[in-house]
Amino acid sequence: MSDFRKITDTFYASPQIDPSQVGEAKAQGVTLIVNNRPDGEEAGQPEGAAIEAAAHEAGLDYVAIPVSSAGFSQPQVEALRDALGQAEGKVLGFCRSGTRSTFLWSLAQAADGAEPDTVSAAALSGGYDVSPIRPAMDALYANARG
């Protein structure tokens, strides 16, 4: 059983998934899986290539935007913005706990001009507190608004 957490109608975050959960994601309307976890972060973790292969076999798109302990960068935010902009259905982002995926989604939303309070509330509805990145969200939002 998965732990896909609804953040919005089109974005879900999850702790680490394995290839066997790709079918469940598809059944829930997911069309894009975003892997935010670097390979080899933890012993026994499924390799991204195995999840990617399962996604493609199921007819889903897959993109890897790994976020390490070094934190977030503008290229990662832009990569997720691009991926979300091209997605034709629900998106499932995953990492070890789902937090990095939700943080990156929140930053991408703010960079697109989404109001940080609204983004924060959506993340919290899925069980994720984005307050540690709120200053970055505010800066991206201000930049998006000109």
Side-chain angles (χ1 to χ4, degrees), residues 2-55:
S2 70
D3 187 15
F4 303 159
R5 300 179 189 181
K6 181 179 178 178
I7 306 300
T8 68
D9 288 340
T10 58
F11 186 79
Y12 290 73
S14 176
Q16 177 69 54
I17 67 169
D18 63 48
S20 70
Q21 293 172 300
V22 169
E24 184 178 345
K26 182 176 181 172
Q28 291 187 27
V30 169
T31 61
L32 170 63
I33 294 175
V34 179
N35 180 354
N36 297 127
R37 191 167 192 199
D39 279 341
E41 187 175 63
E42 184 175 72
Q45 159 190 342
E47 291 292 316
I51 298 167
E52 179 177 20

Side-chain angles (χ1 to χ4, degrees), residues 23-144:
E24 184 178 345
K26 182 176 181 172
Q28 291 187 27
V30 169
T31 61
L32 170 63
I33 294 175
V34 179
N35 180 354
N36 297 127
R37 191 167 192 199
D39 279 341
E41 187 175 63
E42 184 175 72
Q45 159 190 342
E47 291 292 316
I51 298 167
E52 179 177 20
H56 289 160
E57 186 176 309
L60 303 181
D61 292 325
Y62 173 95
V63 64
I65 309 171
V67 177
S68 71
S69 60
F72 301 92
S73 67
Q74 191 63 33
Q76 292 164 320
V77 173
E78 293 303 320
L80 185 60
R81 287 177 71 194
D82 290 345
L84 294 172
Q86 295 176 20
E88 295 183 8
K90 295 178 184 175
V91 176
L92 173 64
F94 77 89
C95 58
R96 186 189 63 76
S97 68
T99 301
R100 281 175 281 182
S101 295
T102 304
F103 279 14
L104 187 59
W105 172 83
S106 297
L107 294 168
Q109 295 303 294
D112 276 342
E115 208 287 320
D117 285 340
T118 303
V119 174
S120 296
L124 194 56
S125 75
Y128 296 102
D129 175 12
V130 297
S131 61
I133 60 160
R134 182 59 190 257
M137 289 171 58
D138 289 340
L140 288 167
Y141 174 70
N143 189 53

